[in-house]
Amino acid sequence: MLSKRILDLFKTFPSLVFLLLVLAVFTLPVISEAQTTNFPNGVTNVTRIDLFGNLPQPDRTITVDFFDDFLHPSTGDYINMRAWTGIVTPTAALSLGALEIEADQTENDFEQWRSISTIMLETGKKAWFACRLKSSIVTQADLYAGLSSNVASASTFENSTDGVWFRVDDGDANVDLVVSSGGTATTTTAVGTVTADTYSEFGFYYDGVDKIKIYLDGVLVGSSVTTNLPSVALNVGFSVYNGAATSPDAGPMLDIDYVYAVKER
């Protein structure tokens, strides 16, 4: 029945049907490819009557955010918590910048950096964190990345009383998430693994209510309760801890490609 109707249409409007067939043939290769959706007049995330209603880009004032791609690093943005100096080197494989910090070859030595800027996690306000990094050594090192407070120069992330941070313990390659308030912590263990000298993205999303979703390389791998959600200002930080004595200048080296922390205002 359908084929008869098409045939009748072709007999009645031969030129129109031919034109439609030609258009289909020439446009099919174009529409089959992934296309960019373009909005030349802009896109916004507020109402038309808002102050920024006619701004042709999203209103950035609705969130508080911290982002660093380490392309133009400034020592004024971070505090080096140890005597060694973190160095910034180009990441050849990505043609991007990276903050590179290295622990001494001595067992239990560590290198630690934290941001000057702070961010707070609050009930009722969503928050996100992402950090892409790699370590030259995994199973003989402790790795930390995330948000924490009052990290003293003589202690590691693990001694912080408040924060939400990722860790990889000396002795394994498992990724854990620690949520701590006032020294009482909830730890979600072994949500994934990392490989030495291979970049991984660690991320979490706080829904503003009662759950922190955990992501590894963009994939949801677990979640944590918010029983011990910290309520104080937190710094962005990174740390690498040497788990075994090594030859001179061969301690674990941590490369941080980027870090992003954002929350609703």
Side-chain angles (χ1 to χ4, degrees), residues 177-179 186-188 210-214 222-226:
L177 182 76
V178 180
V179 182
T186 300
T187 303
T188 305
D210 59 2
K211 183 178 292 185
I212 297 177
K213 294 183 178 180
I214 308 167
S223 64
S224 172
V225 297
T226 59

Side-chain angles (χ1 to χ4, degrees), residues 62 64 120-128 205-209 229 262-265:
I62 66 174
V64 178
M120 290 185 67
L121 302 179
E122 301 177 71
T123 301
K125 297 183 179 181
K126 300 174 183 177
W128 299 258
Y205 159 61
Y206 168 50
D207 65 3
V209 184
L229 187 76
V262 58
K263 59 161 285 190
E264 292 180 320
R265 189 180 296 274

Side-chain angles (χ1 to χ4, degrees), residues 31-74:
I31 63 176
S32 64
E33 299 176 1
Q35 297 293 303
T36 300
T37 302
N38 300 300
F39 297 96
N41 292 326
V43 176
T44 186
N45 54 359
V46 295
T47 64
R48 183 179 295 275
I49 61 173
D50 188 89
L51 169 63
F52 298 107
N54 292 313
L55 185 71
Q57 65 185 34
D59 175 15
R60 294 186 58 185
T61 66
I62 66 174
T63 60
V64 178
D65 63 310
F66 176 94
F67 178 78
D68 202 337
D69 210 7
F70 300 109
L71 292 175
H72 305 285
S74 170

Side-chain angles (χ1 to χ4, degrees), residues 148-192:
S148 69
S149 70
N150 65 309
V151 179
S153 60
S155 64
T156 65
F157 254 83
E158 199 68 10
N159 297 115
S160 176
T161 58
D162 298 271
V164 181
W165 64 82
F166 290 94
R167 75 177 185 199
V168 179
D169 295 320
D170 177 19
D172 63 48
N174 295 329
V175 179
D176 308 327
L177 182 76
V178 180
V179 182
S180 180
S181 176
T184 302
T186 300
T187 303
T188 305
T189 60
V191 296

Side-chain angles (χ1 to χ4, degrees), residues 10 57 71 85 96 99-101 106 127 142 146 154 246:
F10 184 82
Q57 65 185 34
L71 292 175
T85 302
L96 296 174
L99 175 66
E100 186 172 86
I101 60 178
T106 307
D142 289 291
T246 55

